[in-house]
Amino acid sequence: MISPKPFSACLWILLIAAACSRAVAYQQIHSDSSTEKFIQEIQANMTSDVEYARDICEQALVEARATENIKTEIYLLNLLSECEFRLGNYAASVESGSESIRINRMAIKDSVLLATAYRNLGNVYTFGLKQYDEALEYQLIALKIFKQKQDKKMIAAQYGSITWIYGITGKNTQKGMQMANEGIRIAKEINNLQLLAYNYNSKGIFYNAMGQYDTAIHVLTLSNEYANQANDKVVHAYNKVLIGEAYLKKGVVRKALKFYEEAVVESRMLQIKGVKKDAYLGLAKCYEALNDPRQALAFFQAYSFLKDSLLNGEVSQKALFYKNRLEEQRQQAKISELEIEKAAARKEKQLIIFLFVLGMVLLLAILGFILYSNYQRKGANKELQRMNDAIQVQNTKLEELNDAKDKLFSIIGHDLRSPIGNLRVLLDLFKQNRMNQEELNDLVPKLNKSVGGLHEMLENLLEWSHSQLQGFKVQPEKINLKELANTTLGFYHSSAEEKGIVITNEVPEELCAVADKNHVLLILRNLINNAIKYTNNGGHIVVSGNASADGKTVTMFVKDSGIGMDAEQLDEIFEFKQHVRITTGTQGEKGTGFGLALCKEMLEVNGGRIEVTSERDKGSTVVFMLKGCD
């Protein structure tokens, strides 16, 4: 199966062919000079300043709609779809493309504009949403239309797009190779250098996947020769990665290293993150093969960071796409509901007319029926309002859960995966005797701190996930808070000692509370860990407590001399949302932002509460209350 690696490069290559379809469609647009100027300006800025091109496109759409120029409106919607696609706004791209198709089918039925819209949607579903079956369906429809029009340039471009889908999924390898060959034949016939580079690139991917590395290198070198002639720098950079991959799999590591380094330079200049990501991974593998663990680890970390960044953007766009799809379904449901109400109103009116024709004798009966109908309608409106209110409450909950989900994805995708990946690389290198004891000793303290933070993060993450699925199960018992504080401080003795922080346990010996012991232990661990994290070297932390006069309430204090918080941070410390600002520790320690939120939930289910007072650069005091033993 062919690996779906460099999506950003694929996207850029497809956009080259997309320019062909714009040129064909533009020849059919008959507009006034003002709209024509707009379109020329959009096309001139499509590759250099896409945001500006999108703004101009939206202005031109307003003018086209005002003058009821439907064909121009459809063409501009296709351009807007392409702009949003280039900007990575896949949900908005699908919306504009779908609107273009809807108007086209209703009004003018222009096949070329329709094919262009289908091609745009195919690209979005391939490289934005990664829904390959839908993408293939759209691209095949566009290919069928261009074949009917006998447009050789667009036929060759479509063969390249469809070949990419086969390459990404690893399906229909034989058919994909046939399409690539046909695309090359047509491109040679019409002497189009860009499409030659494009289709030779597709063949190279298939040869790499089949293990025919010498042939792959030859074909990809041909692709780069045509790319140079066409001044297509994107294809050139992407081919460098593929050639490096072929040399690495052949075992010619030095040559592979050279091509990967060139790919990094070229992709950095072109800002193609997908190519740069794959080049970093290739360099990490090369340096690993050359027994240079430090360089291998450095490039693997760069690869992981860029991969996580691209993944988070992908997840956000997919969430927006599905949210828009849900909103569209809700709108359709409302339209259906209104249509049912209109049909009912028409029947009611017909009934009233029929009864009126029968004579004035039935007037009282008709009046009574109308009054009854109004009463029923009011009842239905109240029920509908109740349902709308319930939907609004559910939407609010869904948005909160979506924020939590996005935050969890970010934590899992970056804060958890990166340390685990680094540890795995280090262990592999040490296991294979590619790292000596001195190098290991240099790295172990940093990894130990990273794994310690990772453990705390996982503890909180698992406890929070369990609470969301099953709720907290409380098993209250009498607990000695002095002993529990001593146990917790033992966990963090080495962390505090490393930063020269003095921790004092001033909790009275017999201070007792009624609560779930495991919950209180997790609360103390979070609060003391936070205090150490945000206290400077040489600082101090005091853990104390007391009971109320009647013994019914116990109060615990965790006070530090750390960096403190401002008013804005205090307002949102108990919130677990995507936008919440997270401050790193005094030595760069990372946090997840939901430890205090978890403490608050645990205290509430144990019948307690929590408060925080703090001032910037003057430390913080966390106070929590529990039920006393008396």
Side-chain angles (χ1 to χ4, degrees), residues 304-531:
S304 296
F305 178 82
L306 196 52
K307 181 181 178 183
D308 290 339
S309 174
L310 293 171
L311 177 61
N312 286 336
E314 247 176 48
V315 169
S316 298
Q317 277 300 314
K318 282 189 176 180
L320 180 59
F321 172 77
Y322 287 116
K323 181 180 178 182
N324 288 348
R325 178 176 284 182
L326 177 61
E327 183 62 28
E328 182 179 351
Q329 291 172 349
R330 288 176 58 200
Q331 291 296 331
Q332 289 297 328
K334 287 182 180 180
I335 291 170
S336 299
E337 183 181 338
L338 290 172
E339 288 176 350
I340 292 171
E341 288 182 359
K342 287 180 181 179
R346 283 196 299 269
K347 289 181 180 179
E348 183 180 335
K349 184 177 180 180
Q350 290 170 359
L351 179 60
I352 293 171
I353 294 172
F354 173 74
L355 292 174
F356 182 79
V357 172
L358 288 178
M360 296 298 294
V361 180
L362 301 177
L363 181 60
L364 291 175
I366 295 171
L367 181 60
F369 177 80
I370 293 173
L371 290 173
Y372 178 75
S373 296
N374 286 336
Y375 174 78
Q376 289 289 93
R377 189 179 294 107
K378 287 180 181 178
N381 287 339
K382 287 181 181 179
E383 179 64 17
L384 182 61
Q385 183 61 44
R386 187 191 66 79
M387 292 175 65
N388 285 337
D389 291 342
I391 289 172
Q392 185 60 43
V393 171
Q394 289 297 321
N395 284 343
T396 302
K397 290 181 180 179
L398 284 172
E399 288 176 2
E400 291 174 355
L401 286 174
N402 193 51
D403 281 345
K405 177 211 67 177
D406 289 345
K407 187 64 178 290
L408 287 174
F409 280 170
S410 177
I411 292 166
I412 293 169
H414 186 269
D415 294 333
L416 297 185
R417 283 175 55 193
S418 292
I420 291 174
N422 291 342
L423 181 58
R424 181 179 178 184
V425 170
L426 177 63
L427 291 175
D428 284 344
L429 293 174
F430 188 72
K431 182 179 178 182
Q432 298 170 15
N433 295 321
R434 296 180 180 179
M435 177 180 290
N436 58 41
Q437 188 66 42
E438 182 180 352
E439 290 174 322
L440 180 64
N441 290 340
D442 289 341
L443 292 174
V444 162
K446 295 180 181 178
L447 284 174
N448 182 53
K449 183 182 292 186
S450 177
V451 171
L454 181 62
H455 178 264
E456 292 295 331
M457 202 180 298
L458 281 172
E459 286 284 339
N460 287 341
L461 182 60
L462 289 172
E463 193 65 41
W464 184 87
S465 300
H466 185 271
S467 74
Q468 296 302 305
L469 293 173
Q470 300 178 8
F472 289 111
K473 293 182 181 179
V474 182
Q475 296 179 339
E477 59 178 298
K478 289 185 177 182
I479 53 176
N480 185 294
L481 293 173
K482 176 77 170 184
E483 293 177 0
L484 214 58
N486 278 331
T487 299
T488 306
L489 292 175
F491 295 153
Y492 298 102
H493 175 76
S494 60
S495 297
E497 189 177 61
E498 183 180 338
K499 296 178 73 172
I501 296 171
V502 177
I503 305 180
T504 306
N505 184 357
E506 297 181 358
V507 180
E509 292 288 343
E510 302 301 325
L511 190 62
C512 175
V514 178
D516 188 298
K517 184 176 181 179
N518 290 327
H519 289 179
V520 178
L521 185 61
L522 191 142
I523 291 164
L524 283 170
R525 285 172 61 184
N526 268 283
L527 299 183
I528 293 171
N529 182 40
N530 280 350

Side-chain angles (χ1 to χ4, degrees), residues 81-133:
S81 176
E82 186 178 342
C83 285
E84 298 290 6
F85 173 48
R86 287 171 178 267
L87 291 168
N89 301 326
Y90 305 124
S93 178
V94 170
E95 182 179 354
S96 298
S98 300
E99 180 69 2
S100 166
I101 292 171
R102 185 188 68 80
I103 297 173
N104 197 339
R105 285 175 171 171
M106 288 176 57
I108 62 173
K109 297 181 175 60
D110 185 291
S111 59
V112 174
L113 291 176
L114 192 63
T116 303
Y118 278 127
R119 178 180 174 80
N120 285 342
L121 288 175
N123 291 343
V124 173
Y125 275 88
T126 301
F127 302 103
L129 304 174
K130 299 181 180 60
Q131 297 180 4
Y132 304 117
D133 290 338

